Amino acid sequence: MAAPLLEKLSESLGSPETAIRLILSVLIGYPFALVYRWFLFYQPATVIHLFHICSGLALAAFNFGSQLYHSALCIFVQFLMLRLMGRTVTGVLSSFTFQMLYLMAGYYYTATEEYDIKWTMPHCVLTLKLIGLAFDFYDGGKEPSQLSADQVKAALPSVPSLLEVFGFSYFYGGFLVGPQFTMRSYQKLVSRELTDCPGKPPNSVVPALKRFALGFLCLAIYAIFSPYFPDTYLLTDEYEAQPFWYRCVFILLWGKFMLYKYVSCWVIAEGVCILAGLGYNGVVDGKHQWDACANMKVWLFETTPLFGGTIASFNINTNAWAARHVFKRLKFLGNKTLSHVATLFFLTIWHGLHSGYILCFSMEFFIITVERQAQALVLDSPLLTNLANSHLYPLVYVVQQFIHWLFMGYPLVPFCLFTYDKWLKVYSSVYFCGHLFFLVAYLILPFLRVTLVPKKDQREKKRD
């Protein structure tokens, strides 16, 4: 009965059935959270774990059928490694290697040249969750003085039970599209600690509905505008025949609206976590915070004129996971640039095996490097600082936003088109303008610094 209804809904909305199943599954998290609040909040931990396991497995079966065994197998193997290997470097390395190789094998055997919703999509979220679990268990054996503040909060004092590991992994608010959260946060949820009313369900209905409404608005924007900017149009002769300015503006608008696909899912899923209580983040300035599971800063995403600002506002929990478990743990390299490159390389292979991912994250590193050079130049140059603070700034802001979103869409071309023959065709059609722009900027910024920054300031900067 459900299949024909989904087929009709897919046809009427013009979206693949897999996408309809996914968004329905994210939305079903709200009824699940209400069931937890109304009927299970005061139940023993075992009952709550079983509810999370059953609800998560139901979502996995609804979306991927019998292929749910991939997640169940990896979760069970991770539990065995925690139990049998203990708090050892071997345990961490074994967990990292097994989970990443399993994910890579999944990518290899299921990859196509299109964006498909298949079992590897939630499995990449699960992979980070299970690797993070191994790190946090390992950190629990160290002295707090040896850990960062984030590591102290996430460190596990004892090995979790099998039910805890499965409940943590299949929790309906984060199983399909994220967000990332730690086992300690999950344990606090089950023990009724994540609430603004001690001993009672949290007053999180209104904050959850606000995130739902915002997520639904982003989903509506994507549904309305994305059909006018399809990926496939970038590969057509019609697109190539358009004027150069048109091709560039199309990439700008395409990249902007395409990202709403991710924004909407993450914000709606965050609302589920808030409703359940997992989003509770303590009190700041006398106000209860519900942003512990925030994966998007939507206002910053919409208003920042900086590439770094967009990255800071987008997929926040995944970026925080990579910073905590990859970047900061590579401090023994003694070089932040090397740590940054290694972290981006990890995120590249975590996303998939297509060449487009490699190019996208390589360009991200290059773009951020150039932007930091430009920001330093503006701060060091009295002329540029005065211009940035003058009444002309609104005009500067508009120009900056145009450049920002044009070159945000530009590296997303290989990210979404995957294979080199496709992204090479698009980049050729715009004469590799993004590559040339940032190459010229990279070469010319040092010259501008010499020209625009007084020599006295340059000498002081060198001493600093």
Side-chain angles (χ1 to χ4, degrees):
M1 182 68 181
L5 287 175
L6 288 172
E7 287 178 9
K8 290 180 180 178
L9 188 59
S10 174
E11 290 175 4
S12 61
L13 295 177
S15 298
E17 186 179 329
T18 52
I20 300 298
R21 285 178 181 270
L22 176 64
I23 192 62
L24 287 176
S25 299
V26 175
L27 292 170
I28 287 171
Y30 286 88
F32 283 160
L34 289 175
V35 169
Y36 164 70
R37 290 171 60 94
W38 292 342
F39 304 109
L40 302 176
F41 187 81
Y42 299 105
Q43 294 299 314
T46 299
V47 175
I48 297 174
H49 293 320
L50 289 173
F51 172 67
H52 292 158
I53 294 168
C54 292
S55 57
L57 284 170
L59 294 178
F62 178 64
N63 284 273
F64 312 111
S66 62
Q67 291 180 328
L68 64 83
Y69 78 84
H70 292 291
S71 59
L73 174 62
C74 287
I75 295 167
F76 184 69
V77 170
Q78 184 62 59
F79 170 76
L80 290 179
M81 285 192 283
L82 294 178
R83 284 286 185 178
L84 300 177
M85 296 183 179
R87 303 183 195 272
T88 62
V89 174
T90 302
V92 172
L93 292 177
S94 298
S95 298
F96 188 96
T97 303
F98 173 79
Q99 300 297 350
M100 285 301 294
L101 286 178
Y102 200 101
L103 180 64
M104 295 300 101
Y107 285 146
Y108 179 79
Y109 286 107
T110 64
T112 66
E113 294 186 1
E114 305 294 333
Y115 182 82
D116 300 318
I117 296 175
K118 44 190 179 292
W119 67 268
T120 53
M121 187 202 68
H123 202 87
C124 71
V125 176
L126 178 65
T127 297
L128 295 191
K129 202 177 285 187
L130 296 177
I131 292 174
L133 177 60
F135 273 116
D136 294 338
F137 181 56
Y138 174 72
D139 289 342
K142 294 183 177 181
E143 291 295 325
S145 59
Q146 297 177 285
L147 305 174
S148 68
D150 289 338
Q151 290 170 346
V152 169
K153 282 197 283 187
L156 291 168
S158 60
V159 63
S161 69
L162 181 63
L163 278 179
E164 279 184 311
V165 175
F166 269 86
F168 161 71
S169 302
Y170 280 121
F171 174 68
Y172 49 84
F175 171 64
L176 289 172
V177 297
Q180 292 293 327
F181 53 90
T182 65
M183 172 62 85
R184 285 294 296 126
S185 295
Y186 176 76
Q187 290 173 333
K188 288 180 180 179
L189 173 72
V190 175
S191 60
R192 298 183 287 277
E193 296 178 47
L194 294 182
T195 176
D196 57 333
C197 303
K200 297 180 181 179
N203 293 311
S204 58
V205 174
V206 173
L209 289 178
K210 286 181 179 178
R211 298 310 280 177
F212 169 78
L214 181 59
F216 194 80
L217 174 62
C218 294
L219 183 63
I221 292 172
Y222 174 74
I224 292 170
F225 291 101
S226 64
Y228 296 101
F229 302 95
D231 301 354
T232 52
Y233 183 70
L234 292 165
L235 302 171
T236 62
D237 294 335
E238 181 183 348
Y239 170 78
E240 202 163 356
Q242 298 290 347
F244 174 72
W245 68 266
Y246 180 95
R247 282 172 269 159
C248 290
V249 171
F250 185 91
I251 288 177
L252 183 155
L253 295 173
W254 164 80
K256 178 71 171 175
F257 291 122
M258 184 277 298
L259 288 176
Y260 279 107
K261 172 172 60 179
Y262 302 100
V263 175
S264 58
C265 286
W266 288 335
V267 175
I268 291 173
E270 182 194 344
V272 174
C273 294
I274 292 172
L275 188 59
L278 193 64
Y280 185 64
N281 203 21
V283 180
V284 176
D285 296 329
K287 294 183 179 180
H288 294 285
Q289 305 297 307
W290 301 98
D291 58 355
C293 292
N295 223 9
M296 282 296 307
K297 295 179 180 177
V298 179
W299 180 252
L300 178 62
F301 175 77
E302 294 293 348
T303 59
T304 180
L306 302 174
F307 298 98
T310 299
I311 292 171
S313 70
F314 191 82
N315 207 1
I316 297 169
N317 275 288
T318 299
N319 292 336
W321 187 100
R324 188 169 72 251
H325 294 304
V326 182
F327 181 82
K328 292 180 181 179
R329 293 179 192 271
L330 292 175
K331 63 182 179 181
F332 65 87
L333 295 175
N335 188 303
K336 286 188 176 181
T337 300
L338 282 178
S339 298
H340 189 190
V341 170
T343 303
L344 288 176
F345 177 73
F346 169 79
L347 290 173
T348 297
I349 61 173
W350 174 70
H351 275 89
L353 302 177
H354 292 295
S355 63
Y357 294 127
I358 299 174
L359 186 60
C360 175
F361 284 98
S362 299
M363 292 181 65
E364 177 186 322
F365 175 78
F366 191 54
I367 289 171
I368 290 297
T369 300
V370 170
E371 181 174 77
R372 286 173 179 168
Q373 291 178 337
Q375 287 179 293
L377 174 62
V378 172
L379 290 174
D380 292 344
S381 168
L383 175 64
L384 295 178
T385 299
N386 291 334
L387 178 62
N389 295 324
S390 72
H391 64 280
L392 292 175
Y393 180 70
L395 177 61
V396 174
Y397 177 83
V398 170
V399 173
Q400 196 175 1
Q401 276 288 25
F402 179 83
I403 294 173
H404 166 220
W405 278 111
L406 173 60
F407 294 115
M408 275 301 299
Y410 192 82
L412 288 172
V413 168
F415 186 89
C416 295
L417 298 183
F418 300 144
T419 58
Y420 77 93
D421 56 320
K422 292 181 178 179
W423 54 256
L424 188 61
K425 177 179 174 63
V426 179
Y427 281 157
S428 298
S429 70
V430 292
Y431 315 115
F432 295 91
C433 63
H435 295 77
L436 293 173
F437 179 87
F438 284 101
L439 179 59
V440 170
Y442 183 78
L443 294 173
I444 203 172
L445 282 172
F447 171 77
L448 289 176
R449 189 175 187 279
V450 172
T451 305
L452 298 176
V453 179
K455 290 183 178 180
K456 178 183 175 182
D457 293 347
Q458 292 179 38
R459 288 195 297 269
E460 292 177 354
K461 198 72 176 177
K462 283 184 179 179
R463 284 199 298 270
D464 293 340

